[in-house]
Amino acid sequence: MFRAFEPFTGQRQTKVTAQRTKVDWAHLIKELVDQHYPHVEKIRLVMDKLTTHTKASLYEAFDPPEAKRIADKLEVHDTPTHGRWLNMAEIELSHLSRQCLRGRIAAKATLINKVQAWNTQRNEKHAKAHWQFTTDDARVKLSRLYPIVST
């Protein structure tokens, strides 16, 4: 399952795939670029550091000119290695799991239907992330990433 979430508008997209490969990720990104955000100059992606989440994956899935066209629309930011909980898509995935995915779901089609219904409901509500993590909080929690500068 791949998840994209736009926190300021409360819009989300979820793609259920048989696997989580580089090519699957590339197709999701192409869908974001061409269908969901064709009018924007840059798409800022904040993502986990997974081997599938790279611009190189686009070149595995598409011809070089097409891969470059898609890659040029992206501005990629990685979440800190131990900061996965900072990723708003992960927060949304947690909501999805608790509100929609209880119990075993035997068929992929059933999973797709449940996830799409949940996405539609959340998108219609424009359910946004209630981000309460401040820069000061980050400096405390992630102190090893913020060097102390003495003047």
Side-chain angles (χ1 to χ4, degrees):
M1 187 179 306
F2 291 97
R3 188 113 179 102
F5 176 56
E6 187 177 351
F8 298 121
T9 63
Q11 296 299 296
R12 64 214 23 89
Q13 291 82 36
T14 306
K15 188 171 191 82
V16 177
T17 59
Q19 305 172 76
R20 192 174 64 193
T21 67
K22 292 178 181 184
V23 172
D24 293 323
W25 179 84
H27 283 281
L28 169 71
I29 297 304
K30 182 178 184 343
E31 186 178 308
L32 290 175
V33 166
D34 292 342
Q35 294 174 24
H36 298 287
Y37 303 103
H39 57 283
V40 301
E41 189 176 317
K42 284 283 184 192
I43 298 173
R44 288 182 185 91
L45 296 174
V46 179
M47 302 181 297
D48 289 340
K49 291 180 184 179
L50 298 176
T51 57
T52 55
H53 294 171
T54 66
K55 289 182 181 181
S57 299
L58 298 169
Y59 289 88
E60 288 191 30
F62 307 112
D63 291 333
E66 178 68 355
K68 182 175 178 0
R69 179 189 71 82
I70 297 167
D72 286 346
K73 297 264 300 202
L74 305 178
E75 182 179 310
V76 177
H77 302 272
D78 292 324
T79 55
T81 302
H82 298 291
R84 190 172 183 190
W85 54 273
L86 292 169
N87 187 330
M88 289 188 200
E90 288 290 331
I91 294 167
E92 275 292 297
L93 184 58
S94 174
H95 288 302
L96 171 66
S97 296
R98 288 190 320 261
Q99 297 171 1
C100 175
L101 303 179
R102 295 189 184 269
R104 180 168 156 70
I105 301 171
K108 181 179 173 184
T110 304
L111 175 63
I112 291 170
N113 289 336
K114 288 181 82 151
V115 167
Q116 283 310 115
W118 185 85
N119 266 357
T120 300
Q121 176 191 21
R122 298 276 291 172
N123 285 345
E124 286 173 356
K125 286 182 177 180
H126 298 282
K128 298 176 184 174
H130 298 289
W131 189 247
Q132 297 175 0
F133 196 70
T134 66
T135 302
D136 289 337
D137 294 336
R139 291 187 192 286
V140 171
K141 187 75 175 173
L142 303 170
S143 61
R144 71 188 186 297
L145 300 176
Y146 289 93
I148 296 172
V149 179
S150 12
T151 54

